[in-house]
Amino acid sequence: MKRTVIRAASAAGVLVLALAASGCSAQGTASEPGKASITFWGWAPGYAEAVQAFNASHPDIQVSYQTVQPGAKGGYQKMLNAVKAGNAPCLAQLGYETLPSFAAQGALRDVTAHASAAKGDFQESAWKSVTLGDKVYGAPVDTGPMALFYNKKLFDSLGLAPPATWAEYRTAAEKIHASGPDRYISSPYLDYDYAGLAWQAGGSWFGVKGDAWQVTMTSPANRKVADYWQGLAGDGLISKAPMYDQAWYTGLGNGTIATVVGAVWQAGVIKGGAKDGSGQWAVAPMPQWNAGDTKAGNAGGSATAVLKGCQNPEAAWEFAHWMSTDPQAFGGLVDKAALYPAAKKLLTLSQLKPDPYFGGQNVYEVFAAASPQVDPDWTWGPLMTKTAADLDDGLGKAWAGHGTIADALRTAQDKTLGEMQKQGLQVGKAS
């Protein structure tokens, strides 16, 4: 598989390119001596309790946690507004896909001097998600390695084994739909769930060449993925129920939707929304494009990022690293928010245990094996909120039979390039 090595770009590449567009510095001001007080904005369940535990055990650093709306629902804009006003918190919860957008607006502070020694504590793909050029901007918190959730009861009844390849996945889809007209192999994928499918296939969306961004959403690898899923949809093998809609949960519960190719956090989503499926579901590795491969995509994951203007970056990093690596603190995040650790040493947490919903299988063992198989050379673009919105518009139409997935990727690429040029970002020739 061809890899586009994006993260190895120098500071004159991704980072300087992004900051040049905003005209801002990412350095902030010097830390003050003595006891440190820092503020942290986020929304994940369990974060408040982690802050309380840290404060109790670190008397020289006190963290004040403030809950904000989830990023796409207003949290990110609130953070950016605070940076512009000069009253931003030191720390903020940022999805990996959003971090380059904050860099492009000069909203992050470089903490490489404090963070670099911790590189080996985290999964490679997670560490590179908080790194732009040779600068580090926060601590990885969680990741979203992908695998195949499948209705084992239905598969067993039809004599089907979990498909090891995408060709076998199609064969299973045909057999499942043939067994009942209301039975489907999957349902439509949008934005970051769809990105994970492209990620596994080496279908990168963004890169940097020299001093210019590259947008590669229509590359051959992306076209391969698009055409594959377009074929399944065209043959009527994909359910019309949108992911996370009540109809989707109903289908998962009654067996009419037989699979979800999804991230580790989907375990909690499926359990919570499709209670009727308890005991019927299991997890297997993600199907492969080539037999014998072990590649995995990723969907989701976030960082505790340090924002521009933080006057105590060393203390901010100390808390961010602690929350991501302390077993007790992160165990609480597993319990309350179903987060999957980016830290290597936490992949055997006691909370990551066999689950009766999945027939007593320890599904986290599958994801632990998948996590290091996620290609670390994927990168997100500088305008992901717009890119994702434009892509979702096209994907929604394609799944409904109005246009194609390939068309959706082309349109999203064209609109992204246009907006990047409008904002003064240097862009190279599109694929």
Side-chain angles (χ1 to χ4, degrees):
M1 178 182 70
K2 181 179 179 181
R3 293 188 174 186
T4 305
V5 183
I6 297 165
R7 299 293 187 178
S10 69
V14 179
L15 178 62
V16 172
L17 175 67
L19 298 183
S22 67
C24 296
S25 167
Q27 295 306 308
T29 55
S31 299
E32 296 178 356
K35 186 173 182 177
S37 296
I38 57 177
T39 302
F40 174 27
W41 287 2
W43 59 86
Y47 274 22
E49 290 82 357
V51 167
Q52 291 174 0
F54 179 85
N55 287 341
S57 58
H58 294 73
D60 292 334
I61 303 174
Q62 292 297 286
V63 181
S64 174
Y65 179 69
Q66 297 180 16
T67 302
V68 297
Q69 289 294 315
K73 296 182 179 180
Y76 291 150
Q77 191 58 54
K78 180 181 176 71
M79 294 168 188
L80 291 171
N81 290 343
V83 169
K84 292 176 183 177
N87 58 8
C90 261
L91 294 169
Q93 179 180 351
L94 285 188
Y96 294 141
E97 77 288 340
T98 304
L99 193 139
S101 301
F102 271 60
Q105 298 182 66
L108 301 179
R109 171 155 188 170
D110 173 17
V111 290
T112 308
H114 311 299
S116 58
K119 177 179 179 180
D121 293 345
F122 299 97
Q123 296 286 338
E124 184 179 6
S125 61
W127 184 257
K128 289 191 174 182
S129 292
V130 298
T131 305
L132 292 171
D134 57 357
K135 310 294 184 185
V136 183
Y137 292 97
V141 177
D142 62 310
T143 63
M146 298 173 74
L148 175 69
F149 295 85
Y150 69 102
N151 190 310
K152 187 175 187 300
K153 180 180 178 181
L154 176 59
F155 269 63
D156 288 349
S157 72
L158 298 175
L160 295 173
T165 66
W166 288 113
E168 292 177 7
Y169 187 75
R170 188 188 220 306
T171 299
E174 294 168 347
K175 291 182 177 179
I176 287 171
H177 192 55
S179 73
D182 62 342
R183 289 179 172 176
Y184 301 93
I185 194 71
S186 186
S187 58
Y189 295 92
L190 298 178
D191 49 68
Y192 304 118
D193 292 300
Y194 183 85
L197 302 175
W199 192 329
Q200 184 214 23
S204 60
W205 286 0
F206 295 90
V208 170
K209 185 174 182 180
D211 289 335
W213 283 96
Q214 306 292 307
V215 187
T216 57
M217 298 176 74
T218 60
S219 67
N222 276 295
R223 185 60 186 254
K224 176 177 70 173
V225 176
D227 290 348
Y228 174 84
W229 287 95
Q230 190 68 52
L232 292 178
D235 289 345
L237 302 175
I238 302 295
S239 169
K240 298 295 184 182
M243 289 183 77
Y244 316 119
D245 186 85
Q246 184 54 51
W248 183 69
Y249 290 115
T250 299
L252 298 179
N254 65 21
T256 56
I257 298 177
T259 70
V260 178
V261 184
V264 58
W265 48 264
Q266 288 282 15
V269 172
I270 294 171
K271 283 175 55 179
K275 298 184 186 300
D276 290 345
S278 182
Q280 300 178 23
W281 284 78
V283 177
M286 199 171 178
Q288 300 294 312
W289 288 102
N290 299 307
D293 283 352
T294 57
K295 296 171 183 176
N298 188 87
S302 64
T304 308
V306 183
L307 298 184
K308 179 187 176 184
C310 178
Q311 296 188 18
N312 293 292
E314 184 174 6
W317 169 258
E318 184 172 348
F319 167 75
H321 179 265
W322 177 89
M323 189 177 76
S324 292
T325 58
D326 182 81
Q328 185 172 353
F330 206 96
L333 298 182
V334 175
D335 288 336
K336 292 180 172 64
L339 299 187
Y340 188 72
K344 296 175 184 177
K345 73 175 185 179
L346 300 186
L347 295 180
T348 56
L349 277 174
S350 60
Q351 287 84 356
L352 304 174
K353 58 190 176 183
D355 193 324
Y357 186 94
F358 295 99
Q361 179 187 8
N362 187 342
V363 301
Y364 296 105
E365 293 179 349
V366 179
F367 293 105
S371 190
Q373 303 304 320
V374 175
D375 185 349
D377 292 328
W378 175 277
T379 197
W380 297 106
L383 305 171
M384 281 311 304
T385 299
K386 176 172 176 52
T387 299
D390 289 333
L391 179 61
D392 277 0
D393 181 63
L395 287 176
K397 294 173 182 177
W399 291 117
H402 307 297
T404 67
I405 297 173
D407 291 338
L409 291 166
R410 170 64 68 181
T411 299
Q413 172 169 290
D414 290 345
K415 290 185 175 181
T416 296
L417 284 167
E419 186 62 25
M420 290 170 74
Q421 292 167 338
K422 180 179 177 181
Q423 294 196 21
L425 294 169
Q426 294 186 39
V427 295
K429 185 177 180 181
S431 63

